[in-house]
Amino acid sequence: MTTKFYTIPEVAQMVRLTADHLYRITKSGELGTYKIGRKVLITQEQLDSWLASKRQYTKLERNVMADTYVATH
């Protein structure tokens, strides 16, 4: 399996944020990176994980998760 790496400008274009904003996110440690020389690279897995952590659930989804939690605990 080959790991896909993206640069900050590539990720910025994908997620429609500025590169400066992404540099701040990576500097804070919220989004992991690899640094090779002066290049900052982000793997597809790191990007997917970060995006999943930003997921906002609908009210229906939250209610279903709450009902499931209550029923199992």
Side-chain angles (χ1 to χ4, degrees):
M1 184 169 134
T2 304
T3 302
K4 175 72 175 158
F5 288 91
Y6 299 104
T7 63
I8 294 284
E10 290 172 329
V11 173
Q13 186 175 16
M14 283 188 260
V15 297
R16 297 183 180 168
L17 294 172
T18 65
D20 286 342
H21 187 77
L22 275 175
Y23 279 114
R24 284 192 298 273
I25 291 170
T26 60
K27 188 171 178 97
S28 73
E30 187 178 334
L31 174 58
T33 62
Y34 289 92
K35 190 166 184 186
I36 301 173
R38 294 184 64 169
K39 278 194 177 241
V40 178
L41 301 173
I42 300 168
T43 65
Q44 183 67 53
E45 293 79 18
Q46 289 168 316
L47 181 58
D48 291 343
S49 177
W50 178 72
L51 288 172
S53 75
K54 298 299 174 193
R55 169 90 161 76
Q56 292 187 352
Y57 295 97
T58 65
K59 187 174 183 178
L60 177 62
E61 289 171 321
R62 287 192 309 268
N63 287 339
V64 168
M65 287 188 293
D67 291 343
T68 301
Y69 179 82
V70 168
T72 60
H73 288 86

